[in-house]
Amino acid sequence: MDIGEMKQRIELLVEEDVSDGQGGYDSTLVSKGSTWAKVTNIHGGEYFFAAAVHLEKDVSFVIRYRSDISEKWNIKFRNQKYNIQFIDNVKYGDQYLEIKATLAG
């Protein structure tokens, strides 16, 4: 991986219950930070994998490794929300994560 390929800024989001100030809670997306990413559309063999699990408008995000991210999180990229479907710790090297996500609709 050439670190220079990570030139798109993404924001990592998680849905959390936040107090509404009146004793109740509202579910809202909370930012867990932003990071640089390599962003590509899924194609070739990856496309068939995506089709098998019914992903539409599939995107692959490659970011530096973080241990706290999960499939319950979302990604905001170019003002669009993507649902994380699969996270791959590339070669179990704890250096990069490849995240497969689909456009939220």
Side-chain angles (χ1 to χ4, degrees):
M1 164 65 65
D2 179 8
I3 198 71
E5 293 180 274
M6 293 184 186
K7 53 188 171 189
Q8 302 292 329
R9 199 72 171 160
I10 64 171
E11 185 175 6
L12 300 168
L13 306 166
V14 66
E15 194 167 312
E16 292 183 352
D17 290 331
V18 178
S19 173
D20 64 7
Q22 299 176 358
Y25 292 91
D26 290 324
S27 185
T28 187
L29 288 174
V30 176
S31 176
K32 292 296 184 178
S34 61
T35 189
W36 294 102
K38 175 183 174 184
V39 182
T40 56
N41 290 322
I42 295 178
H43 57 279
E46 292 178 328
Y47 175 80
F48 294 108
F49 165 78
V53 293
H54 308 293
L55 302 178
E56 297 177 7
K57 299 198 179 190
D58 312 313
V59 177
S60 173
F61 299 93
V62 177
I63 64 171
R64 286 188 179 264
Y65 179 81
R66 322 175 32 136
S67 61
D68 60 341
I69 194 168
S70 84
E71 282 91 0
K72 294 179 182 178
W73 289 24
N74 302 100
I75 293 173
K76 184 178 178 183
F77 173 61
R78 294 190 174 175
N79 290 321
Q80 293 187 305
K81 182 178 132 187
Y82 291 83
N83 298 322
I84 295 175
Q85 303 295 319
F86 180 76
I87 301 170
D88 178 22
N89 179 3
V90 178
K91 297 181 181 178
Y92 297 98
D94 294 344
Q95 290 185 337
Y96 301 104
L97 296 176
E98 183 173 5
I99 303 167
K100 306 284 193 225
T102 186
L103 185 62

